[in-house]
Amino acid sequence: LRATLKGGTYLIGSLILVKLFSVIYTAILARTLGPLGMGTLSLVTILVPWFVSFSSFSLQTVATQLLSRYGTDVAKQRVLSSRLFYLTIFLGFSAAFLHALVAPFVSAHIFHDSSLTHPMLIISALIFLSLLFNTLLGIQRGLKRFKSYAYLEFFRQAFLIVLGIIFVVFLNYSVDGAIYALVLSPLIPILLFLSRFPFLLEFGSAK
C-alpha cells in the first residue's frame, strides 16, 4: 500500500508540474509568436497526434500490462522491454516516413501554403520520438518504476520550455525555433534514459 501511494504521489506530482509548464510555455509562445505564428505552428503540428495515435497500436498500455505479468522475473522483463522498444522503432520510423511523404501534398493542396512543407518534414521526427517516449513511459509503469516515469514526463516538459526560450526568445528563430524545441524535447530524455538502461538496446532472449 505504501509503495502504491508513493508511486501515485510521483505520478500526480509530475502531472501537475507538466500541466503547469505547458500553460507557461503556451503563454510564452503566444506572446512571442503572435496569432500568425501560433496559427502556423498549429498547422504544422496538426497531423502529429493522429499519426502518433494510429501508429502506436496502444504499445504504451500493452507494455504496462505485459511487463506487469512477469512480476519479479527481471530477465524476461528486460527481453520484453527490448523487443517492445525495437517494435516501436519500426512503427515510429514508418509513421514518420509516411508523414513526411504526405507533407508536400497536405501543405500545397489542403493548407494552400507550400512554405509549410519544410517545417512539416522536420516535425515528422517528432512522431518517431513521441512513439519511443510513450513506449518508455509504458515500460516504466509496467516495471513499477513510477519515479522514473515521473522524471521522464517532467524532463520532457522542462526541456521543452528551456529549448523553446532559447530558440524562440533568445535566438529569435520564431516558428522554426518552436519546432526545434518540440522535436528535441523528447530526444534528450530518451538518450539519458537509454544511457541508464542500456538493456533496452539488447535484442536477446531470456535464459
Side-chain angles (χ1 to χ4, degrees):
L1 179 60
R2 181 179 296 179
T4 302
L5 290 175
K6 188 175 182 180
T9 302
Y10 281 122
L11 295 180
I12 293 173
S14 68
L15 179 63
I16 292 173
L17 288 175
V18 165
K19 295 297 183 184
L20 178 61
F21 285 170
S22 179
V23 171
I24 294 173
Y25 185 60
T26 301
I28 293 173
L29 285 184
R31 184 177 180 84
T32 307
L33 299 180
L36 181 59
M38 289 296 288
T40 302
L41 183 62
S42 297
L43 286 178
V44 170
T45 59
I46 194 169
L47 294 179
V48 172
W50 291 89
F51 274 80
V52 171
S53 298
F54 285 112
S55 60
S56 67
F57 292 98
S58 301
L59 275 181
Q60 181 177 355
T61 303
V62 170
T64 301
Q65 292 177 343
L66 291 179
L67 289 169
S68 298
R69 295 179 183 177
Y70 286 111
T72 57
D73 194 334
V74 177
K76 288 185 178 180
Q77 286 181 334
R78 288 192 170 193
V79 171
L80 180 59
S81 298
S82 175
R83 291 179 178 176
L84 286 169
F85 187 72
Y86 275 101
L87 176 59
T88 305
I89 290 176
F90 171 75
L91 293 174
F93 180 81
S94 300
F97 178 77
L98 181 60
H99 182 273
L101 203 61
V102 303
F105 175 83
V106 171
S107 60
H109 299 285
I110 297 180
F111 296 154
H112 303 290
D113 187 352
S114 296
S115 66
L116 296 177
T117 299
H118 183 256
M120 287 187 72
L121 290 175
I122 296 175
I123 209 67
S124 297
L126 180 60
I127 297 172
F128 174 72
L129 294 171
S130 293
L131 282 172
L132 288 183
F133 187 84
N134 291 342
T135 296
L136 288 181
L137 290 179
I139 290 173
Q140 291 311 290
R141 274 209 312 246
L143 296 176
K144 295 180 173 58
R145 293 174 178 165
F146 299 113
K147 185 183 290 187
S148 296
Y149 179 99
Y151 284 159
L152 276 171
E153 287 273 35
F154 171 79
F155 282 125
R156 177 180 183 173
Q157 198 64 39
F159 282 128
L160 178 60
I161 291 181
V162 172
L163 293 171
I165 291 175
I166 292 173
F167 288 134
V168 178
V169 179
F170 290 107
L171 297 180
N172 198 28
Y173 285 172
S174 189
V175 176
D176 286 341
I179 292 172
Y180 299 152
L182 281 172
V183 172
L184 292 175
S185 61
L187 176 61
I188 299 174
I190 288 172
L191 293 177
L192 292 174
F193 188 84
L194 291 177
S195 68
R196 185 178 179 186
F197 301 103
F199 68 84
L200 286 170
L201 300 175
E202 301 171 1
F203 196 83
S205 58
K207 298 180 179 179

